[in-house]
Coordinates of all heavy atoms in Angstrom, one line a residue:
M120 N 9.0 -10.0 1.5 CA 9.2 -8.9 2.4 C 7.7 -8.4 2.9 O 7.5 -7.2 2.9 CB 9.9 -7.8 1.6 CG 9.9 -6.5 2.4 SD 10.5 -5.2 1.5 CE 9.3 -4.0 1.7
A121 N 7.0 -9.3 3.1 CA 5.6 -9.0 3.7 C 5.7 -8.1 4.9 O 6.7 -8.4 5.6 CB 4.7 -10.2 3.8
Y122 N 4.8 -7.3 5.3 CA 4.8 -6.5 6.5 C 3.9 -7.2 7.6 O 2.7 -7.5 7.4 CB 4.1 -5.2 6.2 CG 5.0 -4.3 5.2 CD1 4.6 -3.9 4.0 CD2 6.3 -3.9 5.7 CE1 5.3 -3.1 3.2 CE2 7.1 -3.1 4.8 CZ 6.5 -2.8 3.5 OH 7.3 -2.0 2.7
N123 N 4.5 -7.6 8.6 CA 3.8 -8.2 9.7 C 3.0 -7.3 10.7 O 2.0 -7.7 11.2 CB 4.8 -9.0 10.6 CG 5.5 -10.3 9.9 OD1 4.7 -10.9 9.1 ND2 6.8 -10.3 10.0
G124 N 3.3 -6.1 10.6 CA 2.7 -5.1 11.4 C 2.7 -3.7 10.9 O 3.6 -3.5 9.9
L125 N 1.9 -2.8 11.3 CA 2.0 -1.4 10.8 C 3.4 -0.7 11.1 O 3.8 0.0 10.3 CB 0.9 -0.5 11.4 CG -0.5 -1.0 11.1 CD1 -1.5 -0.1 11.8 CD2 -0.8 -1.1 9.7
Q126 N 4.0 -1.1 12.2 CA 5.2 -0.5 12.5 C 6.4 -0.8 11.4 O 7.4 -0.1 11.4 CB 5.7 -1.0 13.9 CG 6.2 -2.4 14.1 CD 5.0 -3.4 14.1 OE1 3.8 -3.0 14.1 NE2 5.3 -4.7 14.1
E127 N 6.1 -1.9 10.6 CA 7.1 -2.3 9.6 C 6.9 -1.6 8.3 O 7.7 -1.5 7.3 CB 7.1 -3.8 9.4 CG 7.4 -4.6 10.6 CD 7.4 -6.2 10.3 OE1 7.1 -6.5 9.1 OE2 7.7 -6.8 11.2
L128 N 5.8 -0.9 8.1 CA 5.5 -0.1 6.8 C 6.6 1.0 6.8 O 7.1 1.5 7.9 CB 4.1 0.5 7.0 CG 2.9 -0.4 6.9 CD1 1.7 0.4 7.1 CD2 2.9 -1.1 5.6
P129 N 6.9 1.4 5.6 CA 7.8 2.5 5.3 C 7.3 3.7 6.2 O 6.2 4.0 6.3 CB 7.7 2.7 3.9 CG 7.3 1.5 3.3 CD 6.3 0.9 4.3
S130 N 8.2 4.5 6.7 CA 8.0 5.7 7.6 C 7.1 6.7 6.7 O 6.2 7.3 7.4 CB 9.2 6.3 8.0 OG 10.0 6.8 7.0
A131 N 7.3 6.9 5.5 CA 6.4 7.8 4.7 C 5.0 7.4 4.7 O 4.2 8.2 4.6 CB 7.1 7.9 3.3
I132 N 4.8 6.2 4.6 CA 3.4 5.6 4.7 C 2.8 5.9 6.0 O 1.6 6.3 6.2 CB 3.3 4.0 4.3 CG1 4.0 3.8 3.0 CG2 2.0 3.6 4.5 CD1 3.3 4.5 1.9
R133 N 3.5 5.5 7.1 CA 2.9 5.7 8.5 C 2.8 7.2 8.8 O 1.7 7.6 9.4 CB 4.0 5.2 9.5 CG 4.1 3.6 9.4 CD 4.9 3.0 10.7 NE 5.9 3.8 11.1 CZ 7.2 3.7 10.7 NH1 7.4 2.7 9.8 NH2 8.2 4.3 11.2
A134 N 3.6 8.1 8.1 CA 3.4 9.6 8.5 C 2.3 10.1 7.7 O 1.6 11.1 8.1 CB 4.7 10.2 8.1
R135 N 2.0 9.6 6.5 CA 0.9 10.2 5.7 C -0.4 9.6 5.9 O -1.4 10.4 5.8 CB 1.2 9.7 4.2 CG 2.2 10.5 3.4 CD 2.2 10.2 2.1 NE 3.4 10.6 1.4 CZ 3.8 10.1 0.2 NH1 3.1 9.3 -0.4 NH2 4.8 10.6 -0.3
L136 N -0.5 8.4 6.2 CA -1.9 7.7 6.2 C -2.4 7.6 7.5 O -1.7 7.2 8.5 CB -1.9 6.4 5.5 CG -1.5 6.4 4.0 CD1 -1.4 5.0 3.6 CD2 -2.5 7.2 3.2
P137 N -3.8 7.6 7.6 CA -4.5 7.3 8.9 C -4.3 5.8 9.2 O -4.0 5.1 8.3 CB -6.0 7.6 8.8 CG -6.0 8.4 7.5 CD -4.8 8.2 6.7
V138 N -4.4 5.5 10.5 CA -4.1 4.2 10.8 C -5.0 3.1 10.0 O -4.5 2.1 9.5 CB -4.4 3.8 12.4 CG1 -4.4 2.4 12.7 CG2 -3.4 4.7 13.1
H139 N -6.2 3.3 9.9 CA -7.2 2.4 9.1 C -6.6 2.3 7.6 O -6.6 1.2 6.9 CB -8.6 2.9 9.0 CG -9.5 2.0 8.2 ND1 -10.1 2.5 7.1 CD2 -9.9 0.8 8.4 CE1 -10.8 1.6 6.6 NE2 -10.8 0.5 7.4
A140 N -6.1 3.4 7.1 CA -5.6 3.4 5.6 C -4.3 2.5 5.7 O -4.0 1.9 4.7 CB -5.4 4.7 5.2
Q141 N -3.5 2.7 6.8 CA -2.4 1.8 6.7 C -2.8 0.4 6.8 O -1.9 -0.4 6.3 CB -1.5 2.2 8.2 CG -0.9 3.6 8.1 CD -0.3 4.0 9.3 OE1 0.4 3.0 9.9 NE2 -0.4 5.1 9.8
E142 N -3.7 0.0 7.5 CA -4.2 -1.3 7.6 C -4.5 -1.9 6.2 O -4.2 -2.9 5.8 CB -5.3 -1.6 8.6 CG -4.8 -1.3 9.9 CD -6.0 -1.2 11.0 OE1 -7.1 -1.1 10.6 OE2 -5.8 -1.3 12.1
I143 N -5.3 -1.0 5.4 CA -5.7 -1.4 4.0 C -4.3 -1.5 3.2 O -4.2 -2.6 2.4 CB -6.6 -0.3 3.6 CG1 -7.9 -0.3 4.2 CG2 -6.7 -0.5 2.0 CD1 -8.8 0.9 3.8
Y144 N -3.4 -0.6 3.3 CA -2.1 -0.6 2.6 C -1.5 -1.9 2.9 O -1.0 -2.7 2.0 CB -1.4 0.6 3.0 CG -0.2 0.8 2.1 CD1 -0.2 1.6 1.0 CD2 0.9 0.0 2.3 CE1 0.9 1.8 0.2 CE2 2.1 0.2 1.5 CZ 2.1 1.1 0.4 OH 3.1 1.2 -0.3
R145 N -1.3 -2.3 4.1 CA -0.5 -3.5 4.5 C -1.2 -4.8 4.0 O -0.6 -5.6 3.4 CB -0.5 -3.6 6.1 CG 0.5 -4.6 6.6 CD 0.5 -4.8 8.1 NE -0.7 -5.3 8.6 CZ -1.1 -6.5 8.7 NH1 -0.4 -7.5 8.2 NH2 -2.3 -6.9 9.2
V146 N -2.5 -4.9 4.2 CA -3.2 -6.1 3.6 C -3.0 -6.2 2.1 O -2.8 -7.2 1.7 CB -4.6 -6.1 4.1 CG1 -5.4 -7.1 3.5 CG2 -4.7 -6.2 5.6
A147 N -3.2 -5.1 1.5 CA -3.1 -5.1 0.1 C -1.7 -5.4 -0.5 O -1.5 -6.1 -1.4 CB -3.6 -3.8 -0.6
F148 N -0.8 -4.7 0.2 CA 0.6 -5.1 -0.2 C 1.0 -6.5 0.0 O 1.6 -7.1 -0.9 CB 1.6 -4.2 0.7 CG 3.1 -4.5 0.3 CD1 3.8 -3.5 -0.5 CD2 3.8 -5.5 0.8 CE1 5.0 -3.8 -0.9 CE2 5.2 -5.6 0.6 CZ 5.7 -4.8 -0.2
N149 N 0.6 -7.1 1.1 CA 0.8 -8.4 1.5 C 0.3 -9.4 0.5 O 0.8 -10.4 0.0 CB 0.6 -8.8 2.9 CG 1.5 -8.2 4.0 OD1 2.5 -7.6 3.6 ND2 1.1 -8.2 5.2
G150 N -1.0 -9.1 0.1 CA -1.7 -10.0 -0.8 C -1.0 -9.9 -2.3 O -0.9 -10.9 -2.9
A151 N -0.7 -8.7 -2.6 CA 0.1 -8.6 -3.9 C 1.4 -9.2 -3.9 O 1.9 -9.7 -4.9 CB 0.1 -7.1 -4.3
W152 N 2.2 -9.0 -2.8 CA 3.5 -9.6 -2.5 C 3.4 -11.1 -2.9 O 4.2 -11.8 -3.6 CB 4.0 -9.4 -1.2 CG 5.4 -9.9 -1.0 CD1 5.8 -11.0 -0.4 CD2 6.6 -9.3 -1.4 NE1 7.1 -11.2 -0.3 CE2 7.6 -10.1 -1.1 CE3 6.9 -8.1 -2.1 CZ2 8.9 -9.9 -1.3 CZ3 8.2 -7.8 -2.3 CH2 9.3 -8.7 -2.0
G153 N 2.4 -11.8 -2.4 CA 2.2 -13.3 -2.6 C 1.7 -13.6 -3.9 O 2.1 -14.5 -4.6
E154 N 0.8 -12.7 -4.5 CA 0.2 -12.9 -5.8 C 1.1 -12.8 -7.0 O 1.1 -13.5 -8.0 CB -1.0 -12.0 -6.0 CG -1.8 -12.4 -7.3 CD -3.1 -11.7 -7.4 OE1 -3.6 -11.1 -6.4 OE2 -3.5 -11.5 -8.5
Y155 N 2.0 -11.7 -6.9 CA 2.9 -11.4 -7.9 C 4.4 -11.9 -7.8 O 5.3 -11.2 -8.1 CB 2.9 -10.0 -8.3 CG 1.6 -9.4 -8.8 CD1 0.8 -8.8 -7.8 CD2 1.0 -9.8 -10.0 CE1 -0.5 -8.3 -8.3 CE2 -0.1 -9.4 -10.4 CZ -1.1 -8.7 -9.5 OH -2.3 -8.3 -9.9
S156 N 4.5 -13.0 -7.1 CA 5.8 -13.5 -6.9 C 6.6 -13.9 -8.2 O 7.8 -13.9 -8.2 CB 5.9 -14.7 -5.9 OG 5.1 -15.8 -6.4
D157 N 5.8 -14.3 -9.2 CA 6.4 -14.8 -10.4 C 6.4 -13.6 -11.3 O 5.5 -13.0 -11.6 CB 5.6 -15.9 -11.0 CG 6.2 -16.5 -12.2 OD1 7.0 -15.8 -13.0 OD2 6.0 -17.7 -12.6
S158 N 7.6 -13.3 -11.9 CA 7.8 -12.1 -12.7 C 6.9 -12.1 -14.0 O 6.6 -11.1 -14.5 CB 9.3 -11.9 -13.1 OG 9.7 -13.0 -13.9
R159 N 6.5 -13.3 -14.3 CA 5.6 -13.4 -15.6 C 4.2 -12.9 -15.2 O 3.4 -12.5 -16.1 CB 5.5 -14.9 -16.0 CG 6.8 -15.4 -16.6 CD 6.8 -16.9 -16.9 NE 6.7 -17.5 -15.6 CZ 6.6 -18.8 -15.5 NH1 6.8 -19.7 -16.6 NH2 6.5 -19.4 -14.3
D160 N 3.9 -12.8 -14.0 CA 2.7 -12.3 -13.6 C 2.6 -10.7 -13.5 O 1.5 -10.1 -13.3 CB 2.1 -12.8 -12.3 CG 2.0 -14.4 -12.3 OD1 1.6 -14.9 -13.4 OD2 2.2 -15.0 -11.4
R161 N 3.7 -10.1 -13.6 CA 3.8 -8.7 -13.5 C 4.1 -8.0 -14.8 O 4.6 -8.6 -15.7 CB 5.0 -8.3 -12.5 CG 4.8 -8.8 -11.1 CD 5.9 -8.2 -10.3 NE 7.3 -8.5 -10.7 CZ 8.0 -9.6 -10.2 NH1 7.4 -10.4 -9.3 NH2 9.2 -9.8 -10.5
E162 N 3.5 -6.8 -15.0 CA 3.7 -6.0 -16.2 C 4.9 -5.1 -16.0 O 4.7 -3.8 -15.8 CB 2.5 -5.3 -16.6 CG 1.4 -6.3 -17.1 CD 0.2 -5.5 -17.6 OE1 0.4 -4.3 -17.9 OE2 -0.9 -6.0 -17.7
G163 N 6.2 -5.6 -15.9 CA 7.2 -4.7 -15.6 C 7.4 -4.4 -14.2 O 6.4 -4.6 -13.4
G164 N 8.5 -3.9 -13.8 CA 8.6 -3.5 -12.4 C 9.0 -4.7 -11.5 O 8.8 -5.9 -11.8
S165 N 9.4 -4.4 -10.3 CA 9.9 -5.5 -9.4 C 8.7 -5.9 -8.7 O 7.6 -5.3 -8.7 CB 11.0 -4.9 -8.4 OG 10.3 -4.0 -7.6
R166 N 8.7 -7.0 -8.0 CA 7.7 -7.5 -7.2 C 7.3 -6.5 -6.1 O 6.1 -6.3 -5.8 CB 8.3 -8.8 -6.5 CG 7.3 -9.5 -5.5 CD 7.9 -10.7 -5.0 NE 7.0 -11.5 -4.2 CZ 7.3 -12.5 -3.5 NH1 8.6 -12.9 -3.5 NH2 6.5 -13.2 -2.8
E167 N 8.3 -5.8 -5.6 CA 8.1 -4.7 -4.6 C 7.3 -3.5 -5.1 O 6.4 -3.1 -4.6 CB 9.4 -4.3 -3.9 CG 9.1 -3.4 -2.6 CD 10.4 -3.1 -2.0 OE1 11.5 -3.5 -2.3 OE2 10.4 -2.2 -0.9
E168 N 7.7 -3.1 -6.2 CA 7.2 -2.0 -6.8 C 5.6 -2.3 -7.3 O 4.8 -1.5 -7.0 CB 7.8 -1.6 -8.2 CG 9.2 -0.9 -8.0 CD 9.9 -0.9 -9.4 OE1 9.7 -1.7 -10.3 OE2 10.7 0.1 -9.5
T169 N 5.4 -3.6 -7.7 CA 4.1 -3.9 -8.1 C 3.2 -3.9 -6.7 O 2.0 -3.5 -6.8 CB 4.1 -5.3 -8.7 OG1 4.9 -5.1 -10.0 CG2 2.7 -5.8 -9.0
A170 N 3.8 -4.5 -5.7 CA 3.0 -4.7 -4.5 C 2.7 -3.2 -3.9 O 1.5 -3.0 -3.3 CB 3.7 -5.4 -3.4
H171 N 3.6 -2.4 -4.0 CA 3.3 -1.0 -3.4 C 2.2 -0.3 -4.4 O 1.3 0.4 -3.8 CB 4.5 -0.1 -3.5 CG 5.5 -0.4 -2.4 ND1 5.1 -0.1 -1.1 CD2 6.8 -0.8 -2.3 CE1 6.1 -0.5 -0.3 NE2 7.1 -0.9 -1.0
K172 N 2.2 -0.5 -5.7 CA 1.3 0.1 -6.6 C -0.1 -0.5 -6.2 O -1.2 0.3 -6.2 CB 1.6 -0.2 -8.1 CG 2.8 0.6 -8.6 CD 3.0 0.2 -10.0 CE 4.3 0.9 -10.5 NZ 4.6 0.6 -11.8
V173 N -0.2 -1.8 -6.0 CA -1.5 -2.4 -5.7 C -2.0 -1.8 -4.2 O -3.2 -1.5 -4.1 CB -1.4 -4.0 -5.6 CG1 -2.6 -4.6 -4.9 CG2 -1.0 -4.4 -7.0
A174 N -1.2 -1.6 -3.4 CA -1.5 -1.2 -2.1 C -2.0 0.2 -2.1 O -3.1 0.6 -1.5 CB -0.4 -1.2 -1.1
W175 N -1.4 1.2 -3.1 CA -1.9 2.6 -3.2 C -3.3 2.5 -3.8 O -4.2 3.3 -3.5 CB -0.9 3.3 -4.0 CG 0.0 3.9 -3.1 CD1 1.4 3.7 -3.1 CD2 -0.1 4.9 -2.0 NE1 2.0 4.5 -2.1 CE2 1.2 5.2 -1.5 CE3 -1.2 5.5 -1.6 CZ2 1.3 6.1 -0.4 CZ3 -1.1 6.4 -0.4 CH2 0.1 6.7 0.1
V176 N -3.5 1.6 -4.8 CA -4.8 1.6 -5.4 C -5.9 1.2 -4.4 O -7.0 1.7 -4.4 CB -4.8 0.6 -6.6 CG1 -6.2 0.3 -7.1 CG2 -3.9 1.1 -7.7
A177 N -5.5 0.3 -3.5 CA -6.5 -0.2 -2.5 C -6.7 1.0 -1.6 O -7.9 1.2 -1.2 CB -5.9 -1.4 -1.7
V178 N -5.8 1.7 -1.2 CA -6.0 2.9 -0.2 C -6.8 3.9 -1.0 O -7.8 4.4 -0.4 CB -4.6 3.5 0.2 CG1 -5.0 4.8 1.0 CG2 -4.0 2.5 1.2
K179 N -6.6 4.1 -2.2 CA -7.3 5.2 -2.9 C -8.8 4.7 -3.3 O -9.6 5.6 -3.7 CB -6.6 5.6 -4.2 CG -5.2 6.3 -3.9 CD -4.5 6.6 -5.2 CE -3.1 7.4 -4.8 NZ -2.4 7.6 -6.0
G180 N -9.1 3.5 -3.2 CA -10.4 3.0 -3.3 C -11.2 3.4 -2.2 O -12.5 3.5 -2.4
K181 N -10.7 3.7 -1.0 CA -11.5 3.9 0.3 C -11.3 5.4 0.8 O -12.0 5.9 1.5 CB -11.1 3.0 1.3 CG -11.5 1.5 1.1 CD -12.9 1.4 1.3 CE -13.3 -0.1 1.3 NZ -14.6 -0.3 1.3
Y182 N -10.1 5.9 0.4 CA -9.8 7.2 1.0 C -9.3 8.2 -0.3 O -9.0 7.7 -1.4 CB -8.4 7.2 1.7 CG -8.6 6.6 3.2 CD1 -8.7 5.2 3.3 CD2 -8.8 7.5 4.2 CE1 -9.0 4.8 4.6 CE2 -9.0 7.0 5.5 CZ -9.1 5.6 5.7 OH -9.4 5.1 7.0
R183 N -9.4 9.5 0.1 CA -9.1 10.5 -0.9 C -8.2 11.5 -0.2 O -8.3 11.8 0.9 CB -10.3 11.1 -1.5 CG -11.1 12.0 -0.6 CD -12.4 12.6 -1.2 NE -13.2 13.3 -0.4 CZ -13.1 14.5 -0.1 NH1 -12.3 15.3 -0.8 NH2 -13.9 15.1 0.8
K184 N -7.2 12.0 -1.1 CA -6.3 12.9 -0.5 C -6.8 14.4 -0.6 O -7.3 14.8 -1.7 CB -5.0 12.9 -1.3 CG -3.8 13.6 -0.8 CD -2.6 13.3 -1.6 CE -1.4 14.1 -1.0 NZ -0.2 14.0 -1.9
L185 N -6.7 15.2 0.4 CA -7.2 16.5 0.5 C -6.2 17.4 0.1 O -4.9 17.0 -0.1 CB -7.7 16.8 1.9 CG -8.9 16.0 2.4 CD1 -9.1 16.3 3.9 CD2 -10.1 16.0 1.6
D186 N -6.5 18.7 -0.2 CA -5.5 19.7 -0.6 C -4.4 19.9 0.4 O -3.3 20.1 0.1 CB -6.3 21.0 -0.9 CG -7.2 21.0 -2.0 OD1 -7.0 20.1 -3.0 OD2 -8.1 21.9 -2.2
N187 N -4.6 19.6 1.7 CA -3.6 19.8 2.7 C -2.8 18.6 2.8 O -2.1 18.5 3.8 CB -4.3 20.3 4.0 CG -5.2 19.2 4.7 OD1 -5.3 18.1 4.0 ND2 -5.7 19.5 5.7
N188 N -2.9 17.6 1.9 CA -2.2 16.4 2.1 C -2.5 15.4 3.0 O -1.9 14.4 3.3 CB -0.6 16.7 2.1 CG 0.0 17.2 0.8 OD1 -0.5 16.9 -0.2 ND2 0.8 18.1 0.9
S189 N -3.7 15.6 3.7 CA -4.2 14.7 4.6 C -5.2 13.8 3.8 O -5.5 14.0 2.7 CB -4.8 15.3 5.8 OG -6.0 16.0 5.4
W190 N -5.5 12.6 4.4 CA -6.3 11.7 3.7 C -7.6 11.5 4.6 O -7.5 11.4 5.8 CB -5.6 10.3 3.6 CG -4.4 10.4 2.7 CD1 -3.2 10.8 2.9 CD2 -4.5 9.8 1.4 NE1 -2.4 10.7 1.7 CE2 -3.2 10.1 0.8 CE3 -5.4 9.2 0.6 CZ2 -2.9 9.7 -0.5 CZ3 -5.1 8.9 -0.8 CH2 -3.8 9.1 -1.3
T191 N -8.7 11.2 3.9 CA -10.1 11.1 4.6 C -10.8 10.1 3.8 O -10.7 9.8 2.6 CB -10.8 12.5 4.5 OG1 -12.0 12.3 5.2 CG2 -11.2 13.0 3.2
L192 N -11.8 9.4 4.5 CA -12.6 8.4 3.9 C -13.4 9.0 2.9 O -13.9 10.2 3.0 CB -13.4 7.7 5.0 CG -12.8 6.6 5.9 CD1 -13.8 6.2 7.0 CD2 -12.6 5.4 5.0
K193 N -13.7 8.3 1.8 CA -14.6 8.8 0.7 C -16.0 8.8 1.2 O -16.4 8.0 2.1 CB -14.4 7.9 -0.5 CG -13.0 8.1 -1.2 CD -13.1 7.3 -2.5 CE -11.8 7.6 -3.4 NZ -11.8 6.9 -4.6

């Protein structure tokens, strides 16, 4: 279930994150989707859950969430 474009990301992601952060999310999700296809490579959770977790870690590596729930580059 890799995302081919930003328009395919979940609406909550598109609503929350700036476009650049969405790109980071999509690339990280797709990479994790491919890397963690085998359940033995994951520490619990589904393939999709793992890919979303990896994607959020990637976003949080470059962006930080402000008190008003918006995201800004670090």
Side-chain angles (χ1 to χ4, degrees):
M120 172 186 127
Y122 297 113
N123 293 316
L125 298 182
Q126 71 281 358
E127 294 181 5
L128 290 173
S130 60
I132 301 300
R133 292 191 322 267
R135 281 187 193 164
L136 298 177
V138 172
H139 180 246
Q141 291 178 41
E142 292 168 350
I143 292 169
Y144 190 98
R145 186 183 71 80
V146 169
F148 181 96
N149 288 350
W152 183 260
E154 184 173 342
Y155 296 107
S156 61
D157 190 331
S158 62
R159 293 174 292 188
D160 295 333
R161 298 188 300 266
E162 291 184 19
S165 70
R166 183 179 184 188
E167 185 174 3
E168 289 170 331
T169 301
H171 283 296
K172 287 177 184 178
V173 168
W175 274 115
V176 168
V178 168
K179 290 175 181 178
K181 296 281 185 183
Y182 282 81
R183 65 184 175 96
K184 188 176 181 182
L185 301 176
D186 290 339
N187 65 1
N188 289 326
S189 65
W190 292 79
T191 186
L192 277 170
K193 288 184 175 180

